[in-house]
Amino acid sequence: MLPRGWSLSAAAARLSTVLLVAAAGVSALRPVGDPDIFWHLRTGELILDTHRLPSHDSWSATGPSLPWVPHEWLGELFFTAAYSVGGFAGVAVARCLLVVLLVGSIGWLATRRLPPWLAVLVTAATVLGTSAGWGERPQLLSFLLLVPASGYVRRAVAGEVRGWWLVPLTWLWSMVHGLWFLPLLLLAVTGLVAAAERRDLRLFGRLALVGGASLAAVLALTPAGVDLLRAVVAVGDTSRYVSEWSPLNVRTAHGVGFLTMLLVVLALLVRSGRRLPWWVLADVSVAVVLGVTWSRTTAPATILLATLACRLGADLTRGPVPVARIVSAASVIGAALSLTLAAVVAAPGLGAADDGYPARAAAYLQDQPAGTVVLNAYRVGGYLLWAAPHARPVVDQRIEIFPPDLLAAYMQALSLRGDWRGLVRRTGARLALVARNEPLSTGLRDVLGWRTILTDGDYVLLQAP
């Protein structure tokens, strides 16, 4: 017999939500493969060894003159701790559990505040809309923090709370990942609109103080300080070289998830049948701009819309939440975690990095003299920092630290455009680890006479004559 307040349809919907969360965790349970995780792990180990943040790069071929301050060091230490406990399997399990907590927290909110099958739709859209960001890197921690932070900002703008808890949350977040500024952006946009609409100077002043205190805590009480702002600007300057910063492609899974979530929010706005505050529309606008402008921010935009949908659904309910719904909501994360942990125990092949990385070539490079310069494919730059620390790749995934002219010449050289021969001479590289199907590998062999040392999967290791 079903508990009081439940129906067969509602029970089926809540079971579907649990299975969606568990399925998200199982799909995230795969060997480590994100190209960024390797340099994140090496950075975490460097911080643990030296007990300080580095200020200059000493790993790449461009030398120690490049300023570099890790702005995600706490997130890097998180994954380094997972690696120290269980190796790459520990990193994979940590990623899996973070995905379960992320999707499960949205499923918990949706099950508690929305009609059962609408909660299933919101959870499914969250799975799709955030799936492109499930890599084992600090941004996954950011996505998880955004769930409570976005709800808290909206409560502050609505006048339900003072908002001061945003100060320590932003301070902590700024040491985890660069998305720390997003709650402050949401606070600034929606708070300004709300204060103007209500003509409430006290609300504007309080929210301005909260935002200012949060920013002051970040700049004055974190090891990176003002360099955090420089990091945001630097990422913007180099975004054209990274595919994640391209506009949203609606034919992808995360594009479909984001658009579905947007339609759910718009339907709830129409369904309300009453005039909504302008700050809610400003809230939606922030998410839309983030979601369609860059693929990399589609996941946080989806989370913003999901938490807003849950808030709008709670407003439409206009009454106490039934005990049955609270109990079923609390069971979402617990049941999904149990299913996912069972999959973790049974999952094979988590103890090594993905087979797509050139392990044999890295071992060869590690046997070369320390400081050997390698003209590398972009994807394996961070991997070489980890697997062949003796080598010095020309470029790695810390793309914001490299000179713009070097990046431009490097990207052109991969396609044999521009002065690619000059780029090869400029780097001083005598070895190259490049993709076999890249034009650069053909140019090095057929034009400059480099010879093949070994072939490793999709990559080839070449040596200058």
Side-chain angles (χ1 to χ4, degrees), residues 5 41 49 55 185 226 228 238 246 392 416 439:
L41 289 176
D49 291 340
S55 59
L185 174 64
V226 295
L228 289 171
T238 60
S246 59
R392 288 195 171 185
L416 292 186

Side-chain angles (χ1 to χ4, degrees), residues 36-37 39-40 71-79 98 135-145 173 175-178:
D36 282 8
I37 185 57
W39 70 264
H40 282 309
H71 55 278
E72 304 169 343
W73 62 273
L74 200 54
E76 289 162 342
L77 290 179
F78 171 82
F79 282 106
L98 287 175
E136 53 278 6
R137 50 168 116 167
Q139 72 172 12
L140 194 52
L141 291 165
S142 253
F143 297 162
L144 185 58
L145 288 171
W173 195 337
M175 296 178 284
V176 172
H177 182 254

Side-chain angles (χ1 to χ4, degrees), residues 30 34 79 95 99 130-140:
R30 58 184 183 272
D34 192 298
F79 282 106
R95 174 193 56 207
V99 169
T130 62
S131 59
W134 289 357
E136 53 278 6
R137 50 168 116 167
Q139 72 172 12
L140 194 52

